[in-house]
Amino acid sequence: MGSSSAIARVLYDASKRTLAVTFTSGKKYIYEDVPPDVALEFQTAPSQGAYFNWRIRDQYEFREL
């Protein structure tokens, strides 16, 4: 798994296509309808923070938990 100073945990539910992201601030978000390849690339990215900003933030519907 990649590492990030901003992202603490990433969980992907392939059956629901939801991506749960926990930030080091403690905030948790669920991103909807994320394709499996994007989730895998995110989980294995050298910089999860950079990948998140590039491919996930502002690209998918989300809600805060």
Side-chain angles (χ1 to χ4, degrees), residues 37-60:
D37 60 321
V38 171
L40 179 62
E41 287 174 3
F42 179 41
Q43 290 173 315
T44 59
S47 170
Q48 288 181 320
Y51 190 88
F52 175 82
N53 289 335
W54 174 57
R55 288 283 281 144
I56 296 169
R57 188 178 74 182
D58 301 328
Q59 302 292 319
Y60 299 97

Side-chain angles (χ1 to χ4, degrees), residues 8-53:
R9 189 171 186 196
V10 176
L11 294 171
Y12 183 66
D13 184 333
S15 64
K16 296 179 182 176
R17 290 173 55 109
T18 57
L19 184 69
V21 181
T22 304
F23 291 87
T24 54
S25 66
K27 290 191 179 257
K28 298 177 184 178
Y29 297 89
I30 298 285
Y31 292 83
E32 305 286 344
D33 201 29
V34 177
D37 60 321
V38 171
L40 179 62
E41 287 174 3
F42 179 41
Q43 290 173 315
T44 59
S47 170
Q48 288 181 320
Y51 190 88
F52 175 82
N53 289 335

